[in-house]
Amino acid sequence: MGDTQFHFPCEEDNVQCKLVSKRPRSRFFLNNRLEFIEGIEVNETLRQGRDLCTKIESRFANRVQRQALDALISSLDYKPAALIINGDLTDFGHLHQLHEFRQVWYNNFPIPFILGLGNHDYQNNIDDCALNFCAHTMLSWYADYVKNMSIVADITRKSVNFDVEFSGSLAYTERVCSKKGKSCVFVIQLNNAIDYNVQFSSLFVKWNLSSPMKYLHNELNLLGSTSLPILLNMHQCESMHIHKIKMMLSRWMSSVKKSFESNQRVPRIGAFYAHMHQRHEVTLECIEGYKVPFVYIGSVPNNRFSKFDLTSTTATITGYKARDSLMHNGETLEKLETIELWGPCVRTEYLRFEDHVTRKRRNFIRKTRNQMDKTADVSDL
């Protein structure tokens, strides 16, 4: 999943979340998007009211998501190998936001984490916080996180006079296996976006962050002969980002295709990302005759997430919608579609993880259009 993002409003389609904030929103003259109603003279009290409503929605969405995941994990015969959170752990990198992320998720979760950072964690905060302290807070915490987890990340630390300088892309690769070791994948965590790089300074600290493109290129070359699936994880993957990923994967697929076919194996690689809160979908790109999934994994503000399942013969991803148990008669989960990820292909496919309400609405629209088309045909006759 992605975007725990303490504290960010819910998506408009997240009806259960918007119901929770309905009363305080009306008190502070806010619409469904937490924007002030036109014509209202905004003062500091109303601004504080908007901050309050934002926190109400954010805390609700995180609580519901956490309860749904706890329920799912406890219902499974075997616990998942890890929970991947692809960025935007916080909304602005403030210490109190990081503290809340750790309190709700990090400090007491029943399975290991694989974490990445997003644009809200550091990119959006550069030159927008005193001494760049917000961006520095998240990056220094993340550097400590990978170190404490014994993860070999693409980051080096050195002292320059009285300052400390960090250099690298922060990317890392982990081999993640099931409890008995029968199923394994390589998870490559790229953070934020494939082409993002930046240099900035905080108090006595300099950050020199490079794009992870070179790191990914080298890792794919090293893993070219692996029989294990490769999961590329990042936060943003739109427009030019996705184009660059596709180009790199196309070259990699072309280079390994003969080797895989001679061993009667199918290349298994895909990109998994978040950022666009409302999107929860899969594009099965057809590259070199094989499916390469590009997946919007689901976000906390939309109360969506996905479960990746791997066996010796299949690999699937299933979408889930988290529900508040009090609003849905004790139900905490709605299971959505299950999609097969890899194999031969002839064209690109687009698939959405639709919930019951969306599917019902879509079928109604389709039925109405069909009736209109039949009426138009009769008129033509």
Side-chain angles (χ1 to χ4, degrees):
M1 68 179 200
D3 308 285
T4 50
Q5 207 158 340
F6 293 93
H7 303 94
F8 197 85
C10 290
E11 282 296 303
E12 285 188 85
D13 287 343
N14 193 346
V15 177
Q16 60 181 2
C17 185
K18 292 300 179 181
L19 283 173
V20 172
S21 68
K22 186 176 181 180
R23 187 173 294 176
R25 275 191 286 117
S26 64
R27 195 168 77 222
F28 295 108
F29 304 102
L30 295 163
N31 63 20
N32 211 33
R33 296 187 298 275
L34 266 58
E35 299 169 343
F36 292 111
I37 296 170
E38 191 175 346
I40 295 297
E41 186 177 343
V42 179
N43 56 32
E44 188 58 31
T45 300
L46 296 186
R47 291 191 186 94
Q48 290 178 6
R50 182 169 62 181
D51 289 343
L52 173 64
C53 291
T54 299
K55 288 179 179 179
I56 288 172
E57 291 191 3
S58 178
R59 286 167 177 164
F60 174 87
N62 275 279
R63 177 181 62 79
V64 168
Q65 191 99 330
R66 173 65 200 264
Q67 288 179 348
L69 278 161
D70 284 343
L72 177 62
I73 291 169
S74 64
S75 71
L76 299 172
D77 293 332
Y78 301 99
K79 286 185 177 180
L83 171 64
I84 299 173
I85 303 182
N86 272 340
D88 280 4
L89 310 180
T90 65
D91 186 45
F92 208 75
H94 289 303
L95 277 172
H96 71 274
Q97 295 172 349
L98 177 59
H99 173 74
E100 199 154 343
F101 165 76
R102 296 184 63 176
Q103 190 176 38
V104 175
W105 291 99
Y106 188 73
N107 290 344
N108 59 349
F109 203 71
I111 59 176
F113 280 102
I114 294 177
L115 300 178
L117 296 180
N119 60 299
H120 275 266
D121 293 313
Y122 61 110
Q123 178 182 344
N124 292 15
N125 314 330
I126 293 169
D127 297 329
D128 202 22
C129 245
L131 299 173
N132 281 316
F133 189 70
C134 299
H136 168 71
T137 294
M138 291 304 298
L139 289 170
S140 60
W141 177 81
Y142 193 75
D144 287 341
Y145 154 75
V146 294
K147 181 181 177 182
N148 294 336
M149 296 296 291
S150 301
I151 294 171
V152 181
D154 179 30
I155 189 74
T156 58
R157 180 185 186 276
K158 66 178 181 180
S159 298
V160 181
N161 298 325
F162 295 103
D163 295 341
V164 175
E165 184 175 315
F166 290 91
S167 300
S169 67
L170 286 172
Y172 63 84
T173 302
E174 282 286 282
R175 180 179 170 131
V176 181
C177 298
S178 60
K179 188 175 181 180
K180 294 186 178 181
K182 291 183 178 180
S183 300
C184 296
V185 299
F186 281 109
V187 175
I188 302 179
Q189 179 56 256
L190 301 174
N191 290 292
N192 201 9
I194 184 67
D195 55 358
Y196 182 68
N197 63 89
V198 71
Q199 294 181 355
F200 72 93
S201 297
S202 187
L203 188 63
F204 304 124
V205 179
K206 183 177 181 180
W207 291 93
N208 182 17
L209 298 180
S210 57
S211 157
M213 288 186 72
K214 184 177 179 181
Y215 176 89
L216 177 58
H217 175 78
N218 293 336
E219 287 299 295
L220 290 178
N221 285 339
L222 289 172
L223 299 174
S225 60
T226 184
S227 61
L228 301 181
I230 302 171
L231 312 184
L232 308 181
N233 283 277
M234 64 209 80
H235 181 66
Q236 299 185 71
C237 195
E238 296 87 31
S239 59
M240 286 305 296
H241 305 141
I242 199 168
H243 175 71
K244 290 175 181 178
I245 291 282
K246 285 180 186 177
M247 291 290 289
M248 189 174 289
L249 292 188
S250 181
R251 288 193 292 267
W252 182 80
M253 293 282 284
S254 179
S255 68
V256 302
K257 186 176 180 180
K258 287 184 179 179
S259 173
F260 274 82
E261 289 178 347
S262 65
N263 292 303
Q264 296 183 324
R265 290 190 280 113
V266 172
R268 295 184 292 175
I269 191 167
F272 302 81
Y273 42 91
H275 185 57
M276 304 293 284
H277 296 171
Q278 74 278 16
R279 299 180 72 171
H280 193 200
E281 60 198 46
V282 178
T283 301
L284 296 173
E285 292 285 348
C286 197
I287 301 177
E288 296 292 329
Y290 293 99
K291 296 176 184 176
V292 178
F294 284 75
V295 185
Y296 276 104
I297 51 175
S299 70
V300 170
N302 204 25
N303 277 140
R304 300 292 194 97
F305 62 92
S306 305
K307 180 164 69 76
F308 173 80
D309 289 288
L310 178 70
T311 70
S312 58
T313 57
T314 63
T316 61
I317 194 161
T318 303
Y320 285 89
K321 182 176 182 178
R323 289 177 157 183
D324 178 58
S325 58
L326 295 175
M327 294 183 184
H328 295 90
N329 298 319
E331 292 183 13
T332 58
L333 281 170
E334 180 182 349
K335 186 177 179 181
L336 311 176
E337 284 80 8
T338 296
I339 297 168
E340 293 186 9
L341 291 182
W342 290 300
C345 63
V346 293
R347 65 182 182 278
T348 295
E349 298 178 63
Y350 303 93
L351 305 155
R352 293 179 63 194
F353 294 111
E354 292 184 335
D355 59 17
H356 172 72
V357 174
T358 305
R359 198 178 302 117
K360 189 175 179 180
R361 186 190 308 143
R362 177 174 55 81
N363 290 337
F364 173 78
I365 293 170
R366 182 180 294 171
K367 185 178 178 180
T368 304
R369 283 176 179 168
N370 289 338
Q371 288 174 348
M372 291 173 65
D373 291 342
K374 287 178 182 178
T375 303
D377 289 342
V378 171
S379 300
D380 290 342
L381 287 172

